[in-house]
Amino acid sequence: MDLGVESREKTRAMVVELSKKVKKIGEDDPRRIAHSFKVGLALTLVSVFYYVTPLFDGFGVSSMWAVLTVVVIMEYTVGGTLSKGLNRAIATLVGGALGVAAHQIAVLCGEKGEPILLGLFVFILAAAATFSRFIPEIKARYDYGVTIFILTFSLVAVSSYRVDELMQLALQRVSTIVVGVATCLCTSIFVFPVWAGEDLHKLVAADLEKLANFLEGLSTEYFAEKGEVENLESKSFLQVYTSVLNSKPTEDSLMSLARWEPGHGRFWFRHPWKQYLRIGALSRQCASSMDALATYITASPKFKPSTDPDLHLKIRKTCQEMSSESAKALKELSASIRAMTVPSSASRHASTVVATVRKLEDVLSEGKATSDVLHSATIASLLTQLVVRAREIAGSVEELARLAHFKRLDPIHEVRVKP
Amino acid sequence: MDLGVESREKTRAMVVELSKKVKKIGEDDPRRIAHSFKVGLALTLVSVFYYVTPLFDGFGVSSMWAVLTVVVIMEYTVGGTLSKGLNRAIATLVGGALGVAAHQIAVLCGEKGEPILLGLFVFILAAAATFSRFIPEIKARYDYGVTIFILTFSLVAVSSYRVDELMQLALQRVSTIVVGVATCLCTSIFVFPVWAGEDLHKLVAADLEKLANFLEGLSTEYFAEKGEVENLESKSFLQVYTSVLNSKPTEDSLMSLARWEPGHGRFWFRHPWKQYLRIGALSRQCASSMDALATYITASPKFKPSTDPDLHLKIRKTCQEMSSESAKALKELSASIRAMTVPSSASRHASTVVATVRKLEDVLSEGKATSDVLHSATIASLLTQLVVRAREIAGSVEELARLAHFKRLDPIHEVRVKP
């Protein structure tokens, strides 16, 4: 009896936890809920083929292929649905045509030769097509298409051995697949669309802001402290860059989906999506420098009461200036990507930082190599590496602004300054 | 005429390049060629259902599902095929059963209510199942299963509106899918199997060796040089760690496939695959420290003719010792993972390094803060961070050796040493 109560309690706890998790997933991104209903909607729409008798009489059991198509090609983003839909439609046409051709050749070989020849065709084409999936370019863009090609070719070639009205069947299937693809496309483009390109754009901007937050935290919570920094491990800014380190797979997949998407909102058809990957790669390098700095700061001995307080203060102030200027530059880059405007002062901030680096070198060569100065010198070197990488980011964002024709802000202000 | 020649030349160049690429892909991993033929073989085997009349009479057009199953579940690794096959088989059963149940309920509502109720069922189940794919645990292990569940449920529920012998059709489909899954499993397990677990094991060992090569190169090609190091940018060891930085997605996917695989060769069924991810994460952290060090070395001013040659030499020698000892430790860890033996001397090497770190701190506090000493001090700090992370790797490999019951080497030798 007790055991029963216990296991009921356990089940209840599990259900509560699961429902909390589900709620959080929905709240984190409400578009997920919309997507779920969109899949339900597309499937229900396509089932009309079964319910409306005149439609069913036209397509027969081939109506099944419309349902099947909707289930497998409906993806979260418009780019995903488009790439799978086009892959499926084209691969079905090509595979079907080759299958019919294989059937025509095989019947020439008589009743005994037909199955042997068909088997040979299936073996060779399936092996060749499977091997082509190992070519990275094909894997990235046409992986699903190759699967559907093998599938359609095998089904058509092999079925042809049994089916007489091959052409009619093939036409029915192709037209139901087209109906399925069209249903999915309309649902994903016109009902709360999720654009992979927009997500990529926002992700890259958000990552730059995270890098800026690290530098800002460094400046206000580490370098600004006069004495020893307390509870350093618990400071949130020391963790903020970690998600940037692992953003490569997400960025790669969003970029390969974005290429399929038509122009939408503020993005044209041939928006320079590749440039986002370059900014992303530089952001990861910058995050990697942050990792080195954060590890050094948390692991090594804290600032000790210095033997040379003046020098110590100078170094600290200079480091603070470097990180706050870099943070400003990164914040502006992130904001200008978001607003799609040309960054105006990021380069100026970056130049300020480079000037500060020189000042720091002078300051450092004044002192004696006490362990305190060495500690500061290492932090300064790591910070220098970091801000140099931040400046490279500024360059690549400016390149994006040029390629994507971002708007120029404040032309009046610029004219005013010139004379 | 000239244009024709030119475009023919161009086409020829493209064909030559493509065939070179294809040849390279095959040579890099000949198992890819084997896999392509395995897919061809499995498909040809399953087409027998169409060619042999008694078999075809038993299953009819449902034979199609065997072909379809082979095309979509045949994956490169045994784990991939197993996970997709089990997902497909179980999801088909569950989806089919629920579809039949939905049909039974719907017929109770009369001719007019039936399509409306069926449509409602499809809408709700498809939306709920799609949403469940956003839960990370389900996404990782059962993503394909959920797709097949939606597919089967919709097809069965909707078709039931038109088909009278629903049970017979469902049984035919399930049995052909089972035949397809069985064909794939036999082909992938018994014909040149590719195990995801083994690949993960080798990948982690290879990554450790790359880290060791970086440290070895540092010791022999950078710290060993007496004067300025020439052509530093062209040294290959400075690039060797970069592939480790991006190994996370590969490791994650291999690990999730390895969990499905039965025991094979030297691996038991419940081999501690998760521990490989821990070693992989530490390796990436270590590679990230290498990145910071390599960037600093290549970007900042080279060793200058020192004002204090003795101190300079001391620092250089100590750094050389640290990197060569760490390289030895990592080499041994990599070798012991490969051979599945308990690493015996890696901890000793790691301790040597820690002792050296202390020595280095003493050496550094001797000198004056000339820019030369500061430069060396920064390199020394970065190297310290790096070797500390290498020691953490030693710990996690020892944990793996314990969890996976690696063999102990040289018990005689150990006994001899004790007294």
Side-chain angles (χ1 to χ4, degrees), chain A residues 67-75 84 88 144 148, chain B residues 147 151:
Chain A
V67 175
L68 208 148
T69 302
V70 168
V71 175
V72 292
I73 76 167
M74 193 74 182
E75 290 276 318
K84 276 198 155 180
R88 186 172 190 103
Y144 183 67
I148 296 300
Chain B
T147 309
L151 177 66

Side-chain angles (χ1 to χ4, degrees), chain A residues 65-270:
Chain A
W65 290 95
V67 175
L68 208 148
T69 302
V70 168
V71 175
V72 292
I73 76 167
M74 193 74 182
E75 290 276 318
Y76 186 50
T77 59
V78 176
T81 310
L82 247 170
S83 96
K84 276 198 155 180
L86 287 179
N87 263 303
R88 186 172 190 103
I90 294 167
T92 305
L93 276 176
V94 177
L98 279 180
V100 171
H103 165 74
Q104 305 286 19
I105 296 172
V107 285
L108 297 177
C109 295
E111 218 166 284
K112 283 212 168 160
E114 196 183 339
I116 296 170
L117 206 63
L118 283 175
L120 202 69
F121 280 147
V122 168
F123 181 81
I124 292 170
L125 254 100
T130 304
F131 189 80
S132 81
R133 295 171 70 176
F134 290 111
I135 301 171
E137 288 83 358
I138 292 184
K139 178 95 194 157
R141 301 190 71 166
Y142 308 110
D143 194 52
Y144 183 67
V146 174
T147 309
I148 296 300
F149 169 78
I150 304 177
L151 177 66
T152 313
F153 176 79
S154 314
L155 280 182
V156 172
V158 173
S159 308
S160 70
Y161 187 63
R162 294 285 171 187
V163 176
D164 296 325
E165 306 98 354
L166 193 62
M167 283 311 289
Q168 202 206 330
L169 191 73
L171 270 180
Q172 275 185 352
R173 282 201 191 158
V174 168
S175 46
T176 44
I177 285 175
V178 168
V179 168
V181 170
T183 312
C184 288
L185 282 185
C186 291
T187 322
S188 35
I189 294 180
F190 300 118
V191 188
F192 302 109
V194 176
W195 301 96
E198 207 176 312
D199 276 17
L200 177 61
H201 182 88
K202 283 181 186 158
L203 176 66
V204 167
D207 277 359
L208 288 185
E209 200 175 347
K210 281 179 191 163
L211 301 184
N213 287 340
F214 174 86
L215 284 166
E216 204 178 55
L218 206 62
S219 144
T220 59
E221 299 194 52
Y222 184 75
F223 290 128
E225 295 291 321
K226 272 170 199 154
E228 203 174 303
V229 186
E230 272 168 33
N231 292 325
L232 190 59
E233 287 83 356
S234 67
K235 302 272 183 196
S236 64
F237 78 89
L238 283 171
Q239 296 300 321
V240 78
Y241 64 85
T242 44
S243 69
V244 181
L245 286 173
N246 294 323
S247 61
K248 185 173 161 52
T250 317
E251 281 174 11
D252 283 353
S253 83
L254 283 177
M255 136 83 180
S256 69
L257 299 178
R259 284 196 295 196
W260 292 90
E261 289 174 352
H264 56 277
R266 303 172 297 167
F267 306 101
W268 300 90
F269 175 53
R270 284 179 147 312

Side-chain angles (χ1 to χ4, degrees), chain A residues 21 50 137 162 295 369 389, chain B residues 21 50 137 162 295 389:
Chain A
K21 202 178 218 171
Y50 277 90
E137 288 83 358
R162 294 285 171 187
T295 315
R389 285 181 163 176
Chain B
K21 201 178 218 172
Y50 277 90
E137 289 82 358
R162 294 284 171 186
T295 314
R389 285 181 162 177

Side-chain angles (χ1 to χ4, degrees), chain B residues 120-174:
Chain B
L120 202 68
F121 281 146
V122 168
F123 182 81
I124 292 169
L125 254 98
T130 303
F131 189 78
S132 80
R133 294 172 71 175
F134 289 112
I135 300 171
E137 289 82 358
I138 291 184
K139 178 93 194 158
R141 300 191 72 165
Y142 308 110
D143 193 52
Y144 183 67
V146 174
T147 309
I148 296 300
F149 168 78
I150 304 177
L151 177 66
T152 313
F153 176 79
S154 314
L155 280 182
V156 172
V158 173
S159 308
S160 69
Y161 186 63
R162 294 284 171 186
V163 176
D164 296 325
E165 306 99 354
L166 192 63
M167 283 311 288
Q168 202 204 329
L169 192 73
L171 271 180
Q172 275 185 351
R173 282 200 192 158
V174 168

Side-chain angles (χ1 to χ4, degrees), chain B residues 119-305:
Chain B
L120 202 68
F121 281 146
V122 168
F123 182 81
I124 292 169
L125 254 98
T130 303
F131 189 78
S132 80
R133 294 172 71 175
F134 289 112
I135 300 171
E137 289 82 358
I138 291 184
K139 178 93 194 158
R141 300 191 72 165
Y142 308 110
D143 193 52
Y144 183 67
V146 174
T147 309
I148 296 300
F149 168 78
I150 304 177
L151 177 66
T152 313
F153 176 79
S154 314
L155 280 182
V156 172
V158 173
S159 308
S160 69
Y161 186 63
R162 294 284 171 186
V163 176
D164 296 325
E165 306 99 354
L166 192 63
M167 283 311 288
Q168 202 204 329
L169 192 73
L171 271 180
Q172 275 185 351
R173 282 200 192 158
V174 168
S175 47
T176 45
I177 285 175
V178 168
V179 168
V181 171
T183 312
C184 288
L185 282 186
C186 292
T187 322
S188 37
I189 295 181
F190 299 118
V191 188
F192 301 111
V194 176
W195 301 97
E198 208 176 312
D199 276 16
L200 177 61
H201 182 88
K202 283 181 185 158
L203 176 67
V204 168
D207 277 359
L208 288 185
E209 201 176 346
K210 281 178 191 164
L211 301 184
N213 287 340
F214 174 85
L215 284 166
E216 205 178 55
L218 207 62
S219 144
T220 59
E221 299 194 51
Y222 184 75
F223 290 127
E225 295 291 322
K226 272 170 200 152
E228 204 173 303
V229 186
E230 274 168 32
N231 291 326
L232 190 59
E233 288 83 358
S234 67
K235 302 271 183 197
S236 64
F237 78 90
L238 282 172
Q239 296 300 322
V240 79
Y241 63 85
T242 45
S243 69
V244 181
L245 286 172
N246 295 323
S247 61
K248 185 173 161 53
T250 318
E251 280 173 12
D252 284 353
S253 84
L254 283 177
M255 137 83 181
S256 70
L257 299 178
R259 284 196 294 196
W260 291 91
E261 289 175 352
H264 55 278
R266 303 173 298 168
F267 306 100
W268 300 91
F269 175 52
R270 285 179 148 310
H271 193 74
W273 299 118
K274 269 203 169 170
Q275 186 65 22
Y276 288 92
L277 292 196
R278 271 178 225 124
I279 301 174
L282 291 172
S283 302
R284 274 191 297 283
Q285 283 192 354
C286 194
S288 171
S289 298
M290 288 179 181
D291 187 48
L293 182 56
T295 314
Y296 185 75
I297 286 176
T298 39
S300 39
K302 305 285 150 58
F303 277 125
K304 290 168 201 157

Side-chain angles (χ1 to χ4, degrees), chain A residues 18 21-23 25-26 31-33 35-41 43-44 47 49-54 56-57 61 63-65 67-69 71-72 74-76 114-116 118-120 122-124 126-128 130-137 147-148 150-151 154-155 157-159 161-163 173 245-246 248-249 284-285 287-289 291-293 295-297 361 364-371 373-374 377-378 381-382 385 389, chain B residues 18 21-23 25-26 31-33 35-41 43-44 47 49-54 56-57 61 63-65 67-69 71-72 74-76 114-116 118-120 122-124 126-128 130-137 147-148 150-151 154-155 157-159 161-163 173 245-246 248-249 284-285 287-289 291-293 295-297 361 364-371 373-374 377-378 381-382 385 389:
Chain A
L18 183 71
K21 202 178 218 171
V22 166
K23 208 180 148 205
I25 290 170
R31 299 181 301 173
R32 290 168 176 165
I33 302 171
H35 172 68
S36 307
F37 284 120
K38 275 155 69 183
V39 173
L41 177 68
L43 259 179
T44 316
S47 335
F49 270 76
Y50 277 90
Y51 302 137
V52 180
T53 307
F56 188 80
D57 289 345
V61 271
S63 308
M64 185 187 86
W65 290 95
V67 175
L68 208 148
T69 302
V71 175
V72 292
M74 193 74 182
E75 290 276 318
Y76 186 50
E114 196 183 339
I116 296 170
L118 283 175
L120 202 69
V122 168
F123 181 81
I124 292 170
T130 304
F131 189 80
S132 81
R133 295 171 70 176
F134 290 111
I135 301 171
E137 288 83 358
T147 309
I148 296 300
I150 304 177
L151 177 66
S154 314
L155 280 182
V158 173
S159 308
Y161 187 63
R162 294 285 171 187
V163 176
R173 282 201 191 158
L245 286 173
N246 294 323
K248 185 173 161 52
R284 275 190 297 282
Q285 283 192 355
S288 170
S289 297
D291 187 48
L293 181 56
T295 315
Y296 184 75
I297 286 176
E361 277 165 6
L364 281 171
S365 51
E366 284 171 24
K368 273 206 301 185
T370 59
S371 73
V373 173
L374 285 179
T378 308
S381 301
L382 289 171
Q385 197 179 92
R389 285 181 163 176
Chain B
L18 183 72
K21 201 178 218 172
V22 167
K23 210 181 147 201
I25 290 169
R31 298 180 302 174
R32 291 167 175 166
I33 303 171
H35 172 68
S36 307
F37 284 119
K38 275 156 68 181
V39 173
L41 178 68
L43 258 180
T44 316
S47 340
F49 270 75
Y50 277 90
Y51 302 138
V52 180
T53 307
F56 187 80
D57 289 346
V61 272
S63 308
M64 187 187 83
W65 290 95
V67 174
L68 209 149
T69 303
V71 174
V72 293
M74 192 74 182
E75 290 276 319
Y76 186 50
E114 195 182 341
I116 296 169
L118 283 176
L120 202 68
V122 168
F123 182 81
I124 292 169
T130 303
F131 189 78
S132 80
R133 294 172 71 175
F134 289 112
I135 300 171
E137 289 82 358
T147 309
I148 296 300
I150 304 177
L151 177 66
S154 314
L155 280 182
V158 173
S159 308
Y161 186 63
R162 294 284 171 186
V163 176
R173 282 200 192 158
L245 286 172
N246 295 323
K248 185 173 161 53
R284 274 191 297 283
Q285 283 192 354
S288 171
S289 298
D291 187 48
L293 182 56
T295 314
Y296 185 75
I297 286 176
E361 278 165 6
L364 281 172
S365 51
E366 284 171 23
K368 274 204 300 183
T370 60
S371 74
V373 172
L374 286 179
T378 308
S381 302
L382 289 171
Q385 198 180 89
R389 285 181 162 177

